[in-house]
Amino acid sequence: MSKMLMTTGYCFEGYSIEQYLGVFSGECALGTGFLSSLDSDISDFLGTNSQLYSEKLKKAKESALRQLEEETIQAGGNAVVGLSIGYIMFSRDIIGVIANGTAGFLIGKEESTGKWLHNGIASL
């Protein structure tokens, strides 16, 4: 993933939202596979964490965030505000993750000069 700014909040310290571009989302439905299901059965029985399911959730979240980032870039944005991530089990072996947020275009304030940066060009 790139260094796109994302926050569950609605502002970024040191930046100004110049333009809101709309609400976008990234989705991922990921099969867990036989071994993950077996691991989860054992983990459930023992009352422990299912490492394989945890890894699948992380992979699905990263995929959903990557899609959200791509949608934001295609819309001309460089940040996402109001990020929300949801999880769902479609069946025993299919997990879903959706990442939603408002794409925006930020400009940053250069602290040392008090000037605003827009595409790397300082202005007053």
Side-chain angles (χ1 to χ4, degrees):
M1 296 222 334
S2 75
K3 303 233 184 224
M4 175 172 289
L5 293 174
M6 292 187 180
T7 182
T8 57
Y10 297 97
C11 64
F12 287 96
E13 192 73 29
Y15 293 88
S16 175
I17 300 172
E18 184 174 274
Q19 182 180 11
Y20 291 100
L21 302 167
V23 176
F24 294 92
S25 64
E27 304 86 11
C28 180
L30 187 64
T32 60
F34 171 74
L35 291 178
S36 296
S37 295
L38 180 60
D39 177 60
S40 71
D41 288 340
I42 293 168
S43 295
D44 184 38
F45 179 75
L46 298 175
T48 60
N49 181 43
S50 171
Q51 190 63 34
L52 291 176
Y53 261 4
S54 294
E55 289 172 11
K56 294 287 184 171
L57 282 170
K58 183 177 181 177
K59 184 177 178 180
K61 180 179 100 173
E62 289 171 355
S63 177
L65 286 171
R66 191 170 34 256
Q67 286 181 22
L68 175 58
E69 182 178 310
E70 289 170 7
E71 293 278 331
T72 298
I73 290 168
Q74 288 177 359
N78 63 0
V80 175
V81 296
L83 176 65
S84 172
I85 299 172
Y87 300 86
I88 187 168
M89 290 292 294
F90 291 111
S91 71
R92 177 164 165 71
D93 297 320
I94 304 287
I95 56 175
V97 177
I98 184 166
N100 296 303
T102 301
F105 186 81
L106 302 181
I107 55 174
K109 186 172 184 183
E110 197 175 55
E111 291 184 42
S112 61
T113 64
K115 297 178 181 177
W116 288 93
L117 294 178
H118 187 313
N119 292 333
I121 302 169
S123 62
L124 294 175

PDB file of all heavy atoms in Angstrom, residues 59-100:
ATOM      1  N   LYS A  59      -5.539 -10.341   5.620  1.00  0.00           N
ATOM      2  CA  LYS A  59      -5.371 -10.316   4.163  1.00  0.00           C
ATOM      3  C   LYS A  59      -6.596  -9.682   3.487  1.00  0.00           C
ATOM      4  O   LYS A  59      -6.455  -8.876   2.575  1.00  0.00           O
ATOM      5  CB  LYS A  59      -5.156 -11.744   3.647  1.00  0.00           C
ATOM      6  CG  LYS A  59      -4.877 -11.836   2.178  1.00  0.00           C
ATOM      7  CD  LYS A  59      -4.603 -13.275   1.758  1.00  0.00           C
ATOM      8  CE  LYS A  59      -4.372 -13.380   0.274  1.00  0.00           C
ATOM      9  NZ  LYS A  59      -4.111 -14.760  -0.152  1.00  0.00           N
ATOM     10  N   ALA A  60      -7.790 -10.042   3.947  1.00  0.00           N
ATOM     11  CA  ALA A  60      -9.020  -9.483   3.374  1.00  0.00           C
ATOM     12  C   ALA A  60      -9.113  -7.987   3.651  1.00  0.00           C
ATOM     13  O   ALA A  60      -9.510  -7.203   2.778  1.00  0.00           O
ATOM     14  CB  ALA A  60     -10.240 -10.210   3.930  1.00  0.00           C
ATOM     15  N   LYS A  61      -8.739  -7.547   4.861  1.00  0.00           N
ATOM     16  CA  LYS A  61      -8.770  -6.118   5.200  1.00  0.00           C
ATOM     17  C   LYS A  61      -7.798  -5.343   4.323  1.00  0.00           C
ATOM     18  O   LYS A  61      -8.147  -4.283   3.790  1.00  0.00           O
ATOM     19  CB  LYS A  61      -8.428  -5.917   6.673  1.00  0.00           C
ATOM     20  CG  LYS A  61      -8.440  -4.446   7.096  1.00  0.00           C
ATOM     21  CD  LYS A  61      -8.111  -4.298   8.561  1.00  0.00           C
ATOM     22  CE  LYS A  61      -6.681  -3.899   8.680  1.00  0.00           C
ATOM     23  NZ  LYS A  61      -6.248  -3.555  10.022  1.00  0.00           N
ATOM     24  N   GLU A  62      -6.587  -5.863   4.151  1.00  0.00           N
ATOM     25  CA  GLU A  62      -5.600  -5.194   3.298  1.00  0.00           C
ATOM     26  C   GLU A  62      -6.091  -5.075   1.864  1.00  0.00           C
ATOM     27  O   GLU A  62      -5.892  -4.054   1.214  1.00  0.00           O
ATOM     28  CB  GLU A  62      -4.263  -5.932   3.358  1.00  0.00           C
ATOM     29  CG  GLU A  62      -3.555  -5.765   4.686  1.00  0.00           C
ATOM     30  CD  GLU A  62      -2.339  -6.671   4.842  1.00  0.00           C
ATOM     31  OE1 GLU A  62      -2.074  -7.520   3.948  1.00  0.00           O
ATOM     32  OE2 GLU A  62      -1.661  -6.542   5.881  1.00  0.00           O
ATOM     33  N   SER A  63      -6.754  -6.108   1.369  1.00  0.00           N
ATOM     34  CA  SER A  63      -7.294  -6.079   0.007  1.00  0.00           C
ATOM     35  C   SER A  63      -8.392  -5.021  -0.124  1.00  0.00           C
ATOM     36  O   SER A  63      -8.425  -4.262  -1.093  1.00  0.00           O
ATOM     37  CB  SER A  63      -7.834  -7.457  -0.375  1.00  0.00           C
ATOM     38  OG  SER A  63      -8.414  -7.422  -1.649  1.00  0.00           O
ATOM     39  N   ALA A  64      -9.289  -4.968   0.856  1.00  0.00           N
ATOM     40  CA  ALA A  64     -10.374  -3.980   0.826  1.00  0.00           C
ATOM     41  C   ALA A  64      -9.814  -2.563   0.904  1.00  0.00           C
ATOM     42  O   ALA A  64     -10.263  -1.666   0.176  1.00  0.00           O
ATOM     43  CB  ALA A  64     -11.354  -4.240   1.966  1.00  0.00           C
ATOM     44  N   LEU A  65      -8.812  -2.335   1.753  1.00  0.00           N
ATOM     45  CA  LEU A  65      -8.200  -1.009   1.863  1.00  0.00           C
ATOM     46  C   LEU A  65      -7.476  -0.629   0.573  1.00  0.00           C
ATOM     47  O   LEU A  65      -7.524   0.524   0.139  1.00  0.00           O
ATOM     48  CB  LEU A  65      -7.237  -0.963   3.045  1.00  0.00           C
ATOM     49  CG  LEU A  65      -7.888  -0.915   4.421  1.00  0.00           C
ATOM     50  CD1 LEU A  65      -6.843  -1.095   5.512  1.00  0.00           C
ATOM     51  CD2 LEU A  65      -8.659   0.383   4.616  1.00  0.00           C
ATOM     52  N   ARG A  66      -6.825  -1.582  -0.049  1.00  0.00           N
ATOM     53  CA  ARG A  66      -6.129  -1.335  -1.315  1.00  0.00           C
ATOM     54  C   ARG A  66      -7.134  -0.924  -2.395  1.00  0.00           C
ATOM     55  O   ARG A  66      -6.893   0.003  -3.166  1.00  0.00           O
ATOM     56  CB  ARG A  66      -5.339  -2.571  -1.729  1.00  0.00           C
ATOM     57  CG  ARG A  66      -4.386  -2.365  -2.860  1.00  0.00           C
ATOM     58  CD  ARG A  66      -3.425  -3.550  -3.108  1.00  0.00           C
ATOM     59  NE  ARG A  66      -3.979  -4.869  -2.856  1.00  0.00           N
ATOM     60  CZ  ARG A  66      -3.705  -5.613  -1.766  1.00  0.00           C
ATOM     61  NH1 ARG A  66      -2.912  -5.166  -0.834  1.00  0.00           N
ATOM     62  NH2 ARG A  66      -4.243  -6.813  -1.625  1.00  0.00           N
ATOM     63  N   GLN A  67      -8.289  -1.605  -2.451  1.00  0.00           N
ATOM     64  CA  GLN A  67      -9.324  -1.242  -3.424  1.00  0.00           C
ATOM     65  C   GLN A  67      -9.867   0.157  -3.152  1.00  0.00           C
ATOM     66  O   GLN A  67     -10.083   0.936  -4.084  1.00  0.00           O
ATOM     67  CB  GLN A  67     -10.457  -2.258  -3.394  1.00  0.00           C
ATOM     68  CG  GLN A  67     -10.117  -3.570  -4.022  1.00  0.00           C
ATOM     69  CD  GLN A  67     -11.298  -4.541  -3.977  1.00  0.00           C
ATOM     70  OE1 GLN A  67     -12.450  -4.129  -3.857  1.00  0.00           O
ATOM     71  NE2 GLN A  67     -11.010  -5.823  -4.070  1.00  0.00           N
ATOM     72  N   LEU A  68     -10.089   0.475  -1.873  1.00  0.00           N
ATOM     73  CA  LEU A  68     -10.574   1.813  -1.504  1.00  0.00           C
ATOM     74  C   LEU A  68      -9.555   2.868  -1.927  1.00  0.00           C
ATOM     75  O   LEU A  68      -9.912   3.915  -2.471  1.00  0.00           O
ATOM     76  CB  LEU A  68     -10.837   1.888   0.000  1.00  0.00           C
ATOM     77  CG  LEU A  68     -11.224   3.256   0.554  1.00  0.00           C
ATOM     78  CD1 LEU A  68     -12.480   3.799  -0.129  1.00  0.00           C
ATOM     79  CD2 LEU A  68     -11.424   3.165   2.067  1.00  0.00           C
ATOM     80  N   GLU A  69      -8.286   2.586  -1.709  1.00  0.00           N
ATOM     81  CA  GLU A  69      -7.226   3.505  -2.102  1.00  0.00           C
ATOM     82  C   GLU A  69      -7.226   3.703  -3.621  1.00  0.00           C
ATOM     83  O   GLU A  69      -7.118   4.832  -4.102  1.00  0.00           O
ATOM     84  CB  GLU A  69      -5.886   2.946  -1.641  1.00  0.00           C
ATOM     85  CG  GLU A  69      -4.716   3.847  -1.961  1.00  0.00           C
ATOM     86  CD  GLU A  69      -3.418   3.275  -1.436  1.00  0.00           C
ATOM     87  OE1 GLU A  69      -3.357   2.893  -0.255  1.00  0.00           O
ATOM     88  OE2 GLU A  69      -2.460   3.215  -2.226  1.00  0.00           O
ATOM     89  N   GLU A  70      -7.358   2.629  -4.376  1.00  0.00           N
ATOM     90  CA  GLU A  70      -7.382   2.725  -5.839  1.00  0.00           C
ATOM     91  C   GLU A  70      -8.570   3.549  -6.312  1.00  0.00           C
ATOM     92  O   GLU A  70      -8.437   4.378  -7.218  1.00  0.00           O
ATOM     93  CB  GLU A  70      -7.404   1.329  -6.463  1.00  0.00           C
ATOM     94  CG  GLU A  70      -6.100   0.581  -6.312  1.00  0.00           C
ATOM     95  CD  GLU A  70      -6.195  -0.892  -6.710  1.00  0.00           C
ATOM     96  OE1 GLU A  70      -7.248  -1.326  -7.225  1.00  0.00           O
ATOM     97  OE2 GLU A  70      -5.201  -1.616  -6.492  1.00  0.00           O
ATOM     98  N   GLU A  71      -9.738   3.344  -5.707  1.00  0.00           N
ATOM     99  CA  GLU A  71     -10.928   4.125  -6.063  1.00  0.00           C
ATOM    100  C   GLU A  71     -10.691   5.614  -5.785  1.00  0.00           C
ATOM    101  O   GLU A  71     -11.073   6.473  -6.575  1.00  0.00           O
ATOM    102  CB  GLU A  71     -12.145   3.643  -5.259  1.00  0.00           C
ATOM    103  CG  GLU A  71     -12.615   2.252  -5.597  1.00  0.00           C
ATOM    104  CD  GLU A  71     -13.503   2.217  -6.822  1.00  0.00           C
ATOM    105  OE1 GLU A  71     -14.194   3.211  -7.094  1.00  0.00           O
ATOM    106  OE2 GLU A  71     -13.500   1.181  -7.506  1.00  0.00           O
ATOM    107  N   THR A  72     -10.068   5.894  -4.647  1.00  0.00           N
ATOM    108  CA  THR A  72      -9.792   7.278  -4.256  1.00  0.00           C
ATOM    109  C   THR A  72      -8.836   7.934  -5.246  1.00  0.00           C
ATOM    110  O   THR A  72      -9.057   9.063  -5.688  1.00  0.00           O
ATOM    111  CB  THR A  72      -9.214   7.321  -2.827  1.00  0.00           C
ATOM    112  OG1 THR A  72     -10.187   6.783  -1.929  1.00  0.00           O
ATOM    113  CG2 THR A  72      -8.853   8.735  -2.411  1.00  0.00           C
ATOM    114  N   ILE A  73      -7.784   7.234  -5.625  1.00  0.00           N
ATOM    115  CA  ILE A  73      -6.812   7.772  -6.579  1.00  0.00           C
ATOM    116  C   ILE A  73      -7.473   8.017  -7.938  1.00  0.00           C
ATOM    117  O   ILE A  73      -7.255   9.059  -8.555  1.00  0.00           O
ATOM    118  CB  ILE A  73      -5.597   6.824  -6.709  1.00  0.00           C
ATOM    119  CG1 ILE A  73      -4.775   6.859  -5.417  1.00  0.00           C
ATOM    120  CG2 ILE A  73      -4.740   7.194  -7.915  1.00  0.00           C
ATOM    121  CD1 ILE A  73      -3.725   5.769  -5.322  1.00  0.00           C
ATOM    122  N   GLN A  74      -8.306   7.073  -8.396  1.00  0.00           N
ATOM    123  CA  GLN A  74      -8.991   7.235  -9.680  1.00  0.00           C
ATOM    124  C   GLN A  74      -9.922   8.445  -9.675  1.00  0.00           C
ATOM    125  O   GLN A  74     -10.129   9.076 -10.704  1.00  0.00           O
ATOM    126  CB  GLN A  74      -9.765   5.974 -10.036  1.00  0.00           C
ATOM    127  CG  GLN A  74      -8.874   4.825 -10.443  1.00  0.00           C
ATOM    128  CD  GLN A  74      -9.658   3.541 -10.718  1.00  0.00           C
ATOM    129  OE1 GLN A  74     -10.878   3.495 -10.588  1.00  0.00           O
ATOM    130  NE2 GLN A  74      -8.946   2.492 -11.090  1.00  0.00           N
ATOM    131  N   ALA A  75     -10.445   8.789  -8.498  1.00  0.00           N
ATOM    132  CA  ALA A  75     -11.334   9.946  -8.388  1.00  0.00           C
ATOM    133  C   ALA A  75     -10.549  11.250  -8.243  1.00  0.00           C
ATOM    134  O   ALA A  75     -11.136  12.318  -8.201  1.00  0.00           O
ATOM    135  CB  ALA A  75     -12.267   9.772  -7.197  1.00  0.00           C
ATOM    136  N   GLY A  76      -9.210  11.151  -8.128  1.00  0.00           N
ATOM    137  CA  GLY A  76      -8.389  12.344  -7.998  1.00  0.00           C
ATOM    138  C   GLY A  76      -8.067  12.711  -6.562  1.00  0.00           C
ATOM    139  O   GLY A  76      -7.588  13.808  -6.294  1.00  0.00           O
ATOM    140  N   GLY A  77      -8.318  11.799  -5.637  1.00  0.00           N
ATOM    141  CA  GLY A  77      -8.078  12.087  -4.229  1.00  0.00           C
ATOM    142  C   GLY A  77      -6.718  11.620  -3.740  1.00  0.00           C
ATOM    143  O   GLY A  77      -6.042  10.840  -4.401  1.00  0.00           O
ATOM    144  N   ASN A  78      -6.360  12.119  -2.562  1.00  0.00           N
ATOM    145  CA  ASN A  78      -5.108  11.707  -1.940  1.00  0.00           C
ATOM    146  C   ASN A  78      -5.292  11.320  -0.476  1.00  0.00           C
ATOM    147  O   ASN A  78      -4.320  11.126   0.249  1.00  0.00           O
ATOM    148  CB  ASN A  78      -4.032  12.799  -2.084  1.00  0.00           C
ATOM    149  CG  ASN A  78      -4.398  14.087  -1.391  1.00  0.00           C
ATOM    150  OD1 ASN A  78      -5.455  14.210  -0.782  1.00  0.00           O
ATOM    151  ND2 ASN A  78      -3.527  15.070  -1.493  1.00  0.00           N
ATOM    152  N   ALA A  79      -6.560  11.208  -0.033  1.00  0.00           N
ATOM    153  CA  ALA A  79      -6.824  10.840   1.361  1.00  0.00           C
ATOM    154  C   ALA A  79      -8.247  10.306   1.501  1.00  0.00           C
ATOM    155  O   ALA A  79      -9.108  10.549   0.651  1.00  0.00           O
ATOM    156  CB  ALA A  79      -6.641  12.044   2.275  1.00  0.00           C
ATOM    157  N   VAL A  80      -8.473   9.582   2.600  1.00  0.00           N
ATOM    158  CA  VAL A  80      -9.808   9.073   2.941  1.00  0.00           C
ATOM    159  C   VAL A  80     -10.112   9.489   4.372  1.00  0.00           C
ATOM    160  O   VAL A  80      -9.311   9.262   5.274  1.00  0.00           O
ATOM    161  CB  VAL A  80      -9.873   7.534   2.814  1.00  0.00           C
ATOM    162  CG1 VAL A  80     -11.220   7.005   3.279  1.00  0.00           C
ATOM    163  CG2 VAL A  80      -9.600   7.101   1.384  1.00  0.00           C
ATOM    164  N   VAL A  81     -11.265  10.110   4.569  1.00  0.00           N
ATOM    165  CA  VAL A  81     -11.720  10.472   5.913  1.00  0.00           C
ATOM    166  C   VAL A  81     -12.958   9.655   6.251  1.00  0.00           C
ATOM    167  O   VAL A  81     -13.662   9.164   5.372  1.00  0.00           O
ATOM    168  CB  VAL A  81     -12.007  11.985   6.051  1.00  0.00           C
ATOM    169  CG1 VAL A  81     -10.741  12.794   5.864  1.00  0.00           C
ATOM    170  CG2 VAL A  81     -13.086  12.434   5.090  1.00  0.00           C
ATOM    171  N   GLY A  82     -13.225   9.501   7.545  1.00  0.00           N
ATOM    172  CA  GLY A  82     -14.395   8.752   7.977  1.00  0.00           C
ATOM    173  C   GLY A  82     -14.314   7.277   7.641  1.00  0.00           C
ATOM    174  O   GLY A  82     -15.338   6.630   7.388  1.00  0.00           O
ATOM    175  N   LEU A  83     -13.104   6.722   7.662  1.00  0.00           N
ATOM    176  CA  LEU A  83     -12.905   5.316   7.306  1.00  0.00           C
ATOM    177  C   LEU A  83     -13.656   4.398   8.268  1.00  0.00           C
ATOM    178  O   LEU A  83     -13.621   4.578   9.483  1.00  0.00           O
ATOM    179  CB  LEU A  83     -11.413   4.982   7.347  1.00  0.00           C
ATOM    180  CG  LEU A  83     -11.025   3.529   7.102  1.00  0.00           C
ATOM    181  CD1 LEU A  83     -11.380   3.113   5.677  1.00  0.00           C
ATOM    182  CD2 LEU A  83      -9.545   3.328   7.370  1.00  0.00           C
ATOM    183  N   SER A  84     -14.341   3.432   7.689  1.00  0.00           N
ATOM    184  CA  SER A  84     -15.055   2.416   8.457  1.00  0.00           C
ATOM    185  C   SER A  84     -14.757   1.055   7.827  1.00  0.00           C
ATOM    186  O   SER A  84     -14.791   0.921   6.608  1.00  0.00           O
ATOM    187  CB  SER A  84     -16.561   2.690   8.418  1.00  0.00           C
ATOM    188  OG  SER A  84     -17.272   1.629   8.996  1.00  0.00           O
ATOM    189  N   ILE A  85     -14.463   0.079   8.678  1.00  0.00           N
ATOM    190  CA  ILE A  85     -14.169  -1.269   8.186  1.00  0.00           C
ATOM    191  C   ILE A  85     -15.150  -2.232   8.835  1.00  0.00           C
ATOM    192  O   ILE A  85     -15.301  -2.251  10.055  1.00  0.00           O
ATOM    193  CB  ILE A  85     -12.722  -1.680   8.506  1.00  0.00           C
ATOM    194  CG1 ILE A  85     -11.747  -0.715   7.828  1.00  0.00           C
ATOM    195  CG2 ILE A  85     -12.453  -3.112   8.053  1.00  0.00           C
ATOM    196  CD1 ILE A  85     -10.307  -0.905   8.214  1.00  0.00           C
ATOM    197  N   GLY A  86     -15.837  -3.018   8.000  1.00  0.00           N
ATOM    198  CA  GLY A  86     -16.806  -3.990   8.502  1.00  0.00           C
ATOM    199  C   GLY A  86     -16.430  -5.399   8.089  1.00  0.00           C
ATOM    200  O   GLY A  86     -15.813  -5.614   7.040  1.00  0.00           O
ATOM    201  N   TYR A  87     -16.802  -6.349   8.936  1.00  0.00           N
ATOM    202  CA  TYR A  87     -16.490  -7.762   8.699  1.00  0.00           C
ATOM    203  C   TYR A  87     -17.781  -8.566   8.716  1.00  0.00           C
ATOM    204  O   TYR A  87     -18.704  -8.247   9.468  1.00  0.00           O
ATOM    205  CB  TYR A  87     -15.569  -8.306   9.795  1.00  0.00           C
ATOM    206  CG  TYR A  87     -14.252  -7.598   9.885  1.00  0.00           C
ATOM    207  CD1 TYR A  87     -14.112  -6.447  10.648  1.00  0.00           C
ATOM    208  CD2 TYR A  87     -13.144  -8.078   9.209  1.00  0.00           C
ATOM    209  CE1 TYR A  87     -12.892  -5.791  10.737  1.00  0.00           C
ATOM    210  CE2 TYR A  87     -11.921  -7.430   9.293  1.00  0.00           C
ATOM    211  CZ  TYR A  87     -11.809  -6.287  10.062  1.00  0.00           C
ATOM    212  OH  TYR A  87     -10.597  -5.644  10.145  1.00  0.00           O
ATOM    213  N   ILE A  88     -17.833  -9.622   7.896  1.00  0.00           N
ATOM    214  CA  ILE A  88     -19.005 -10.497   7.870  1.00  0.00           C
ATOM    215  C   ILE A  88     -18.563 -11.907   7.485  1.00  0.00           C
ATOM    216  O   ILE A  88     -17.600 -12.084   6.737  1.00  0.00           O
ATOM    217  CB  ILE A  88     -20.080  -9.975   6.880  1.00  0.00           C
ATOM    218  CG1 ILE A  88     -21.349 -10.788   6.990  1.00  0.00           C
ATOM    219  CG2 ILE A  88     -19.539  -9.965   5.459  1.00  0.00           C
ATOM    220  CD1 ILE A  88     -22.546 -10.182   6.271  1.00  0.00           C
ATOM    221  N   MET A  89     -19.260 -12.888   8.013  1.00  0.00           N
ATOM    222  CA  MET A  89     -19.055 -14.281   7.589  1.00  0.00           C
ATOM    223  C   MET A  89     -20.231 -14.623   6.674  1.00  0.00           C
ATOM    224  O   MET A  89     -21.376 -14.623   7.110  1.00  0.00           O
ATOM    225  CB  MET A  89     -19.053 -15.228   8.795  1.00  0.00           C
ATOM    226  CG  MET A  89     -17.849 -15.109   9.699  1.00  0.00           C
ATOM    227  SD  MET A  89     -16.303 -15.664   8.977  1.00  0.00           S
ATOM    228  CE  MET A  89     -16.580 -17.404   8.768  1.00  0.00           C
ATOM    229  N   PHE A  90     -19.963 -14.872   5.410  1.00  0.00           N
ATOM    230  CA  PHE A  90     -21.013 -15.238   4.469  1.00  0.00           C
ATOM    231  C   PHE A  90     -21.422 -16.691   4.667  1.00  0.00           C
ATOM    232  O   PHE A  90     -22.567 -17.050   4.482  1.00  0.00           O
ATOM    233  CB  PHE A  90     -20.554 -15.019   3.027  1.00  0.00           C
ATOM    234  CG  PHE A  90     -20.384 -13.575   2.675  1.00  0.00           C
ATOM    235  CD1 PHE A  90     -19.132 -13.053   2.445  1.00  0.00           C
ATOM    236  CD2 PHE A  90     -21.484 -12.742   2.586  1.00  0.00           C
ATOM    237  CE1 PHE A  90     -18.968 -11.720   2.119  1.00  0.00           C
ATOM    238  CE2 PHE A  90     -21.337 -11.398   2.268  1.00  0.00           C
ATOM    239  CZ  PHE A  90     -20.072 -10.884   2.036  1.00  0.00           C
ATOM    240  N   SER A  91     -20.455 -17.504   5.002  1.00  0.00           N
ATOM    241  CA  SER A  91     -20.683 -18.908   5.317  1.00  0.00           C
ATOM    242  C   SER A  91     -19.529 -19.323   6.212  1.00  0.00           C
ATOM    243  O   SER A  91     -18.674 -18.512   6.551  1.00  0.00           O
ATOM    244  CB  SER A  91     -20.722 -19.771   4.050  1.00  0.00           C
ATOM    245  OG  SER A  91     -19.430 -19.877   3.482  1.00  0.00           O
ATOM    246  N   ARG A  92     -19.486 -20.558   6.553  1.00  0.00           N
ATOM    247  CA  ARG A  92     -18.403 -21.028   7.419  1.00  0.00           C
ATOM    248  C   ARG A  92     -17.033 -20.810   6.784  1.00  0.00           C
ATOM    249  O   ARG A  92     -16.043 -20.609   7.493  1.00  0.00           O
ATOM    250  CB  ARG A  92     -18.615 -22.507   7.728  1.00  0.00           C
ATOM    251  CG  ARG A  92     -17.531 -23.112   8.558  1.00  0.00           C
ATOM    252  CD  ARG A  92     -17.977 -24.420   9.145  1.00  0.00           C
ATOM    253  NE  ARG A  92     -16.874 -25.188   9.660  1.00  0.00           N
ATOM    254  CZ  ARG A  92     -16.187 -24.882  10.755  1.00  0.00           C
ATOM    255  NH1 ARG A  92     -16.494 -23.802  11.426  1.00  0.00           N
ATOM    256  NH2 ARG A  92     -15.210 -25.649  11.169  1.00  0.00           N
ATOM    257  N   ASP A  93     -16.958 -20.823   5.465  1.00  0.00           N
ATOM    258  CA  ASP A  93     -15.669 -20.755   4.783  1.00  0.00           C
ATOM    259  C   ASP A  93     -15.454 -19.503   3.934  1.00  0.00           C
ATOM    260  O   ASP A  93     -14.483 -19.434   3.192  1.00  0.00           O
ATOM    261  CB  ASP A  93     -15.488 -21.992   3.902  1.00  0.00           C
ATOM    262  CG  ASP A  93     -15.461 -23.267   4.724  1.00  0.00           C
ATOM    263  OD1 ASP A  93     -14.854 -23.248   5.806  1.00  0.00           O
ATOM    264  OD2 ASP A  93     -16.044 -24.272   4.289  1.00  0.00           O
ATOM    265  N   ILE A  94     -16.341 -18.519   4.017  1.00  0.00           N
ATOM    266  CA  ILE A  94     -16.187 -17.275   3.252  1.00  0.00           C
ATOM    267  C   ILE A  94     -16.325 -16.096   4.213  1.00  0.00           C
ATOM    268  O   ILE A  94     -17.357 -15.932   4.865  1.00  0.00           O
ATOM    269  CB  ILE A  94     -17.253 -17.130   2.142  1.00  0.00           C
ATOM    270  CG1 ILE A  94     -17.248 -18.321   1.196  1.00  0.00           C
ATOM    271  CG2 ILE A  94     -17.055 -15.816   1.386  1.00  0.00           C
ATOM    272  CD1 ILE A  94     -16.070 -18.373   0.261  1.00  0.00           C
ATOM    273  N   ILE A  95     -15.260 -15.276   4.284  1.00  0.00           N
ATOM    274  CA  ILE A  95     -15.314 -14.070   5.100  1.00  0.00           C
ATOM    275  C   ILE A  95     -15.322 -12.860   4.175  1.00  0.00           C
ATOM    276  O   ILE A  95     -14.774 -12.896   3.075  1.00  0.00           O
ATOM    277  CB  ILE A  95     -14.125 -13.984   6.079  1.00  0.00           C
ATOM    278  CG1 ILE A  95     -12.787 -14.057   5.347  1.00  0.00           C
ATOM    279  CG2 ILE A  95     -14.215 -15.048   7.144  1.00  0.00           C
ATOM    280  CD1 ILE A  95     -11.586 -13.849   6.233  1.00  0.00           C
ATOM    281  N   GLY A  96     -15.961 -11.812   4.624  1.00  0.00           N
ATOM    282  CA  GLY A  96     -16.022 -10.595   3.838  1.00  0.00           C
ATOM    283  C   GLY A  96     -15.563  -9.402   4.651  1.00  0.00           C
ATOM    284  O   GLY A  96     -15.790  -9.339   5.857  1.00  0.00           O
ATOM    285  N   VAL A  97     -14.904  -8.482   3.977  1.00  0.00           N
ATOM    286  CA  VAL A  97     -14.478  -7.232   4.593  1.00  0.00           C
ATOM    287  C   VAL A  97     -14.826  -6.104   3.632  1.00  0.00           C
ATOM    288  O   VAL A  97     -14.610  -6.224   2.427  1.00  0.00           O
ATOM    289  CB  VAL A  97     -12.961  -7.213   4.882  1.00  0.00           C
ATOM    290  CG1 VAL A  97     -12.536  -5.873   5.455  1.00  0.00           C
ATOM    291  CG2 VAL A  97     -12.572  -8.335   5.828  1.00  0.00           C
ATOM    292  N   ILE A  98     -15.394  -5.032   4.165  1.00  0.00           N
ATOM    293  CA  ILE A  98     -15.677  -3.848   3.362  1.00  0.00           C
ATOM    294  C   ILE A  98     -15.083  -2.640   4.066  1.00  0.00           C
ATOM    295  O   ILE A  98     -15.198  -2.510   5.287  1.00  0.00           O
ATOM    296  CB  ILE A  98     -17.190  -3.664   3.096  1.00  0.00           C
ATOM    297  CG1 ILE A  98     -17.432  -2.488   2.176  1.00  0.00           C
ATOM    298  CG2 ILE A  98     -17.958  -3.533   4.384  1.00  0.00           C
ATOM    299  CD1 ILE A  98     -18.825  -2.419   1.589  1.00  0.00           C
ATOM    300  N   ALA A  99     -14.393  -1.808   3.305  1.00  0.00           N
ATOM    301  CA  ALA A  99     -13.808  -0.570   3.811  1.00  0.00           C
ATOM    302  C   ALA A  99     -14.492   0.590   3.100  1.00  0.00           C
ATOM    303  O   ALA A  99     -14.466   0.671   1.871  1.00  0.00           O
ATOM    304  CB  ALA A  99     -12.308  -0.551   3.562  1.00  0.00           C
ATOM    305  N   ASN A 100     -15.139   1.469   3.864  1.00  0.00           N
ATOM    306  CA  ASN A 100     -15.848   2.628   3.323  1.00  0.00           C
ATOM    307  C   ASN A 100     -15.203   3.908   3.826  1.00  0.00           C
ATOM    308  O   ASN A 100     -14.688   3.946   4.943  1.00  0.00           O
ATOM    309  CB  ASN A 100     -17.309   2.662   3.807  1.00  0.00           C
ATOM    310  CG  ASN A 100     -18.105   1.508   3.316  1.00  0.00           C
ATOM    311  OD1 ASN A 100     -18.199   1.289   2.124  1.00  0.00           O
ATOM    312  ND2 ASN A 100     -18.670   0.752   4.241  1.00  0.00           N
TER     313      ASN A 100
END
